[in-house]
Amino acid sequence: MSATLSADGVPSAPRNEAVARALGRRRSRTNLVVKALCLLATAIGLLLLASILATLLWRGLGGLSITVFTTSTKPPGSNGGLLNAIVGTLIQTAIGTAVGTPIGLMVGTYLAEYSVGSRISGAVRFVSDVLLSAPSILIGLFLYEILVQPVGGFSAIAGGLALAVIVIPIVVRTTEDMLRLIPATLREAAIGLGAPKWKMITLICYRAAMDGIVTGVLLAVARVAGETAPLLFTSFGNLNWSVSLTQPMASLPVTIYQYAGSAFEDWVQLAWVAALLITVGVLAINITARSLLRGRK
Amino acid sequence: MGDAVFAGFARASGGFVLLLLGGIIVSLFIGGLAAFRQFGAAFVVSPLWNPVTQKFGGLVPIYGTLVTSVLALLLAVPLAFGIAFYLTELAPAWLRRPVGTAIELLAAVPSIIYGMWGFFVIVPIMAGTVQPAVIGAFDGIPVLQDLFAGPPFGTGILTAAFILAVMIIPFIAATMRDVFLTVPAVYKESAYGVGCTTWEVMRSIVLPYTRVSVVGGIMLGLGRALGETMAVTFVIGNANRITSSLFGAGNTIASLVALEFPESPAGSLKLASLLALGFILFVISFIVLAISRILLRPRLKG
């Protein structure tokens, strides 16, 4: 009876119970297949990460020794280390972070606190988002054009500035997001006590958003520490010990690039050690940054 | 007083970001101007790259960039969708965070590491197992035998696309997961309430609701793949020719720039050609990333 009650145009339940059951079976089978495929996709994703980490540990741990940290890169066969590359990466990452963070912080502040009723702010946010994913090799070419070529030589400064350009949009994104999360009541309380806006921002908002901002900076450090392409045209790499900011400077990623493709076994081995060091460092910073933010929620 | 200074700094920083983008575009264009002047519009369609005769064209790397990126998308999108679906609807709650973090860590691994992993792990697998098997399986079948032909070196377009796919999976998966989470629970609950299966809820409720943002996430992945340098440089085989075979060697704009730059003296036509290619890459990535932002903005920013 009930099956015949449906009005025209409204699909009624199949009258034949066998058909209904077959349809139900097919739907649940499709569902099962899709679920299995999704599980498979996730497993493949995890497997890829595991494969990368396992390869790095397997090939890199064997070459890890104290000389890696105490000597600089040397000609093949003479038991060189990675000291100049490690120090170079630290210096250039430090320059990039030191230059990029304040700018990114101010841009994020501008977008979160000063952008009301401003048409430019939309463009700034858009451009910053595009820069976030822009090819890093082009940022290297940009620094080559405006700094390396006019000055007439590769330098650690140019490398650090190229990294700073990458740092800026990362810090902008997290700073703006974090500042926007701060409740308006906090701002109103500060303004109500007579604080000028800049004091409200620096003394109240920055403090309230501190862990988020630090997370952004850490993520930026993790990102630029492993960057290779922008350094190829700026700090270039240096097989000798050098801490001069106006000279070419080694870095772990560029050393990997130079060594991994070489025909010398000990150089390839060192490239694996460098790869292990940079990956462990980058992932450790990344995980630290994430756990900082988790504590907030 | 302090207010004016601080606001001035903030506004100036905002302006600086605009200047930065403008500076990148202008500097690449000026750097490549000599090549554009010399070759004109033919630069984009000429397959030549000959330092001896000083004839340079961008067709091969432009083709390589687009083909590897699109192939990478074809490989990455289904996997990324599966991962996002698993993380939002299927995984038990206690697994979601650790698995999600692990997938996101894939995005944190530096690009050069992908290059080494690809060169020392994936290339031997491709050369020893995958490519001979595929070449054998498709031998004699028209079209397919041309698409998968040639000596199995392990390097080439398909290997590069595979590595790129692995690199962009986390970006696409994370974006998809975030937009899937924006679907109001009441919609999904209604669908479950009338007896939909999990897949039917995904297909008929979640996907239609998030369609635009999902495309935005895919465009974000494409934008990332286009400019990827180090990983591709290791595995693409670096040959300036267009082959019909996906196993053939090729190059991309980014890999060509990275490899040829050391042999391009300042002021040379070759360097200008590389910078011109950089300019073209920037324009392509800018368009793709801009579309991605426009599609993603309304959903993720509320």
Side-chain angles (χ1 to χ4, degrees):
Chain A
M1 267 294 267
S2 63
T4 60
L5 282 179
S6 60
D8 284 345
V10 179
S12 60
R15 281 147 219 210
N16 190 327
E17 209 171 304
V19 172
R21 245 191 231 131
L23 192 64
R25 268 202 302 276
R26 208 180 79 185
R27 288 174 54 210
S28 66
R29 212 164 38 227
T30 312
N31 193 41
L32 264 182
V33 170
V34 173
K35 276 185 177 176
L37 287 178
C38 289
L39 193 61
L40 184 72
T42 311
I44 291 174
L46 296 178
L47 200 73
L48 290 168
L49 180 66
S51 163
I52 292 169
L53 296 181
T55 311
L56 286 173
L57 287 173
W58 177 51
R59 302 251 197 168
L61 275 183
L64 209 54
S65 68
I66 195 75
T67 53
V68 168
F69 302 99
T70 54
T71 47
S72 294
T73 47
K74 284 180 186 168
S78 50
N79 199 21
L82 292 166
L83 183 63
N84 54 340
I86 294 170
V87 172
T89 286
L90 292 178
I91 291 176
Q92 291 171 69
T93 305
I95 297 174
T97 314
V99 175
T101 302
I103 300 175
L105 190 66
M106 287 313 278
V107 178
T109 308
Y110 164 70
L111 290 178
E113 309 283 343
Y114 288 95
S115 66
V116 180
S118 153
R119 246 173 292 166
I120 302 171
S121 70
V124 171
R125 190 177 293 116
F126 179 81
V127 164
S128 175
D129 279 348
V130 168
L131 282 178
L132 192 61
S133 299
S136 60
I137 189 169
L138 299 182
I139 290 164
L141 283 181
F142 168 60
L143 259 295
Y144 175 82
E145 278 287 292
I146 64 160
L147 187 59
V148 175
Q149 217 170 32
V151 170
F154 300 105
S155 65
I157 284 281
L161 291 181
L163 297 183
V165 175
I166 301 172
V167 166
I168 291 171
I170 304 176
V171 176
V172 170
R173 178 99 321 278
T174 44
T175 303
E176 190 198 350
D177 288 349
M178 289 303 142
L179 286 178
R180 282 186 186 279
L181 285 180
I182 295 172
T185 47
L186 215 54
R187 294 199 174 86
E188 286 157 8
I191 296 293
L193 287 173
K197 188 168 180 178
W198 72 277
K199 278 204 168 171
M200 183 260 302
I201 292 170
T202 50
L203 297 180
I204 309 291
C205 295
Y206 282 170
R207 283 191 194 177
M210 188 52 83
D211 46 1
I213 294 172
V214 171
T215 300
V217 175
L218 284 178
L219 287 176
V221 169
R223 163 91 192 273
V224 299
E227 280 289 351
T228 318
L231 298 182
L232 287 176
F233 320 132
T234 49
S235 65
F236 193 67
N238 192 336
L239 292 177
N240 301 309
W241 169 261
S242 166
V243 287
S244 165
L245 295 184
T246 53
Q247 293 295 315
M249 187 181 271
S251 60
L252 280 171
V254 173
T255 306
I256 296 174
Y257 180 57
Q258 290 163 339
Y259 275 22
S262 78
F264 311 108
E265 215 163 282
D266 57 332
W267 273 21
V268 175
Q269 177 63 60
L270 264 184
W272 281 110
V273 175
L276 178 66
L277 291 178
I278 199 76
T279 309
V280 167
V282 163
L283 292 189
I285 296 173
N286 219 285
I287 291 168
T288 310
R290 281 162 201 281
S291 56
L292 253 182
L293 207 56
R294 193 171 312 162
R296 176 193 193 85
K297 289 169 187 165
Chain B
M1 178 61 196
D3 247 357
V5 172
F6 192 80
F9 265 122
R11 294 215 167 85
S13 306
F16 178 74
V17 170
L18 297 180
L19 273 182
L20 205 55
L21 181 87
I24 293 174
I25 296 177
V26 170
S27 76
L28 289 175
F29 183 75
I30 292 177
L33 202 57
F36 287 129
R37 276 224 185 97
Q38 179 81 23
F39 304 116
F43 181 73
V44 184
V45 291
S46 160
L48 289 172
W49 189 271
N50 193 333
V52 181
T53 59
Q54 290 288 299
K55 291 264 184 291
F56 299 104
L59 183 65
V60 178
I62 292 171
Y63 166 85
T65 302
L66 296 177
V67 167
T68 50
S69 300
V70 170
L71 275 177
L73 271 193
L74 291 179
L75 292 169
V77 168
L79 278 170
F81 171 76
I83 292 169
F85 187 14
Y86 180 80
L87 286 177
T88 50
E89 303 287 333
L90 305 175
W94 59 273
L95 253 183
R96 287 179 192 189
R97 193 185 278 282
V99 173
T101 306
I103 297 293
E104 281 171 23
L105 284 185
L106 263 183
V109 173
S111 136
I112 184 115
I113 305 300
Y114 278 101
M116 274 191 98
W117 175 72
F119 188 71
F120 288 98
V121 177
I122 301 303
V123 167
I125 295 176
M126 293 294 276
T129 318
V130 178
Q131 293 187 351
V134 172
I135 292 171
F138 291 143
D139 192 25
I141 306 170
V143 182
L144 283 180
Q145 71 170 355
D146 295 327
L147 212 50
F148 299 98
F153 287 134
T155 53
I157 301 270
L158 189 66
T159 312
F162 175 77
I163 307 282
L164 281 178
V166 178
M167 299 183 71
I168 60 175
I169 281 173
F171 290 102
I172 304 180
T175 314
M176 281 190 184
R177 179 194 59 187
D178 293 349
V179 298
F180 287 170
L181 288 175
T182 62
V183 179
V186 67
Y187 289 5
K188 291 193 282 187
E189 283 157 8
S190 317
Y192 282 123
V194 298
C196 285
T197 62
T198 319
W199 166 238
E200 283 163 351
V201 170
M202 172 54 72
R203 204 188 53 182
S204 322
I205 308 293
V206 176
L207 269 185
Y209 187 85
T210 57
R211 199 174 44 219
V212 172
S213 316
V214 165
V215 175
I218 294 172
M219 296 295 272
L220 179 68
L222 179 62
R224 288 269 170 174
L226 287 169
E228 188 43 62
T229 312
M230 301 324 293
V232 175
T233 307
F234 270 84
V235 299
I236 196 156
N238 191 40
N240 197 69
R241 58 167 183 263
I242 295 176
T243 57
S244 62
S245 170
L246 294 181
F247 293 157
N251 57 20
T252 67
I253 293 177
S255 78
L256 186 75
V257 171
L259 286 165
E260 298 278 322
F261 177 82
E263 289 130 46
S264 311
S268 68
L269 188 58
K270 190 175 174 192
L271 185 65
S273 303
L274 290 178
L275 288 162
L277 280 175
F279 174 74
I280 293 171
L281 175 62
F282 196 88
V283 171
I284 300 174
S285 326
F286 184 87
I287 293 170
V288 169
L289 292 171
I291 295 173
S292 158
R293 276 299 123 191
I294 290 164
L295 294 178
L296 281 173
R297 176 66 64 196
R299 183 54 44 78
L300 284 181
K301 286 291 139 209

